[in-house]
Amino acid sequence: IEKITHSICTLEFENNRDVYDWVVDNVELGHKRPHQFEFARLNLNYTVMSKRKLLQLVQDGLVSGWDDPRMPTISGLRRRGYTPASIRNFANMIGVAKTNSMVDVSLLEYSIRDDLNHKAPRVMGVLDPLKLVITNYPENMVESLSASLWPNDVPNDGDRLVPFTKEIYIERSDFMETPEKGFNRLAPGREVRLRYAYFIRAERVVRSADGEVICLECTYDKATKGGNAPDGRKVKGTIHWVSASEGVQVPVNLYDRLFCVENPSATDDFKAVINPDSLKTITAIVEPYAMTAKPGDHLQFERNGYFFVDPIDSTEGSPVFNRVVTLKSGWENKGRKSEQSADIKPNPKPKQGVVGRSRTEQLQYLFDQDSTLKVRYDELCSIGGVQESAAGVIAVDSGLYSLFQEAVSVSQAAGAVAKWVANEVAGALKGRELSDVELTGASLGALVKLIEDGSISGKIAKGLFEELVESGGDPVQMVESRGLMQISDESILGAIIDDVLANNSDNVAKYRAGNTRMKGFFVGQVMQATKGKGNPGVVAKLLGKKLA
């Protein structure tokens, strides 16, 4: 009656289709009757999506309301700090299915990380402060250090000044009195780099009467300002900090997943499995620049996560920060200690003896010192597809060389593997060893194979790579469980393209009459028909053939 063209509903209404069709068939419509399409509802793990259950959470006071940032409602997601673009991207990635399934909430978290990476300026904030006194730094001196608001891989410009003083705060987790293997941060007698500042060395631990560490006394090397040592010495760890006297205390809401089990709806009482740590309110210390943020602004607290200035609880000059998401998920490997963020990368230093030389001269110097490196380099250069620049990076690092060999045995695409090892892997290891990360040659090879056979896009691959470095895993299983697989089968895509062209004959005629811009329209229609999972390269190639 209202000239509805399409009726869509969730699968539980499929049994009602006969009644629906009978009604519309027995009403004088005057136009083609609408067809009912059923689809599977969205089910996210670690939450509930039922309005009835969400209402119980609100009515029982287990959350603060419908806009509680832990709620999977539009108002809750908005107040948490999720952006419209991230939700649209998430919806495009999961598509629409006809089978009920559970979607991993980490895919939603990946979407917001990917979006905010290019939108959220970087600042430093300490969530669990431990005081650090630099004993050889001048009293009452306040030094302004220049710091970038964006990492190197984000094409945005902007700097801010960060005050540096004798007393600063660092994260308590960045100090360990008896460091475990792989711990590359501060420990007694160990030197680390303060982000944008100096090298410091821990000299003495100060304890309270009950034995708790309350302060560290350190010394700094004045010659290392900006994080570089004139003598070329290296440190493995880089940590963030905030001035004790110039930093500002702010309230921070640390939000986590609302339930502590993957499928709370499957339990006898879903309210009994609420995560008791889904909200922690703390007082953090942030650098002065963070106070310029207005309600609705996003910031990244370096190494800690993305944060959003609460639009309701914040007032002018008094921001309240909500943590949108951490920089990586801690749920796949519970208990794993958080490591240094991938976008905090110490400046690489050339090896001793090669300072000031060109890349070619550096390689030759290393080859002269160790002839086996030259053998490796020649071997790599002889493999088809491996570029000389990548061969040079891999040959001089035994760990990268072994990783390359293991990855090639899985994927067989030597050229592609070499690029990933020399660029992505080497970049992720700045300041760390291979033994400090979870990435294996087998998982890298499987990831490259997925890219080469068109199963996933490069953008998805970058996100999976970050997870493999920090948490490990099987990329094939990750792609399958999260519904990330692209459609690259030419017979499947060809049939879809035929349908699209048949349903848009007028536009086909326009294209063949010279309006070549219509090809973009057809690509979009095909991608829509495949729920965003069509391989764009294969789609474009097949369209070119069929429209010729």
Side-chain angles (χ1 to χ4, degrees), residues 351-387:
K351 294 182 180 293
Q352 291 283 355
V354 297
V355 177
R357 299 172 185 242
S358 67
R359 179 60 181 163
T360 302
E361 292 172 332
Q362 292 176 25
L363 284 175
Q364 189 57 55
Y365 174 87
L366 295 173
F367 294 159
D368 292 341
Q369 303 300 308
D370 186 350
S371 59
T372 60
L373 302 183
K374 181 65 165 65
V375 174
R376 283 184 196 166
Y377 177 78
D378 291 338
E379 172 198 341
L380 291 166
C381 289
S382 67
I383 301 174
V386 177
Q387 298 178 352

Side-chain angles (χ1 to χ4, degrees), residues 300-412:
Q300 185 197 105
F301 290 2
E302 295 194 17
R303 302 176 67 234
N304 277 321
Y306 291 102
F307 291 78
F308 178 68
V309 183
D310 191 294
I312 296 176
D313 291 340
S314 300
T315 57
E316 186 175 354
S318 299
V320 175
F321 288 96
N322 295 336
R323 183 172 66 188
V324 187
V325 68
T326 57
L327 292 181
K328 62 176 184 176
S329 174
W331 281 76
E332 287 76 8
N333 292 278
K334 284 242 181 203
R336 188 180 303 279
K337 291 182 174 59
S338 178
E339 288 295 331
Q340 178 174 315
S341 164
D343 59 81
I344 299 179
K345 301 176 181 178
N347 293 327
K349 313 291 190 308
K351 294 182 180 293
Q352 291 283 355
V354 297
V355 177
R357 299 172 185 242
S358 67
R359 179 60 181 163
T360 302
E361 292 172 332
Q362 292 176 25
L363 284 175
Q364 189 57 55
Y365 174 87
L366 295 173
F367 294 159
D368 292 341
Q369 303 300 308
D370 186 350
S371 59
T372 60
L373 302 183
K374 181 65 165 65
V375 174
R376 283 184 196 166
Y377 177 78
D378 291 338
E379 172 198 341
L380 291 166
C381 289
S382 67
I383 301 174
V386 177
Q387 298 178 352
E388 290 183 2
S389 57
V393 173
I394 298 169
V396 300
D397 188 310
S398 297
L400 294 182
Y401 181 70
S402 298
L403 188 78
F404 168 83
Q405 290 183 312
E406 185 181 0
V408 168
S409 69
V410 175
S411 78
Q412 307 301 318

Side-chain angles (χ1 to χ4, degrees), residues 172 175 177 205-215:
R172 188 169 292 274
F175 172 77
E177 197 162 6
V205 178
V206 180
R207 301 178 182 277
S208 64
D210 58 4
E212 180 187 4
V213 177
I214 58 173
C215 181

Side-chain angles (χ1 to χ4, degrees), residues 183-198:
F183 184 81
N184 293 326
R185 286 161 276 169
L186 199 58
R190 180 180 290 181
E191 205 172 37
V192 298
R193 178 189 292 103
L194 292 177
R195 184 85 159 131
Y196 307 114
Y198 300 95

Side-chain angles (χ1 to χ4, degrees), residues 475-495:
V476 176
Q477 290 182 1
M478 293 161 75
V479 167
E480 291 176 350
S481 66
R482 299 175 188 181
L484 302 177
M485 195 75 74
Q486 284 191 139
I487 301 174
S488 298
D489 189 310
E490 292 193 6
S491 61
I492 296 175
L493 290 175

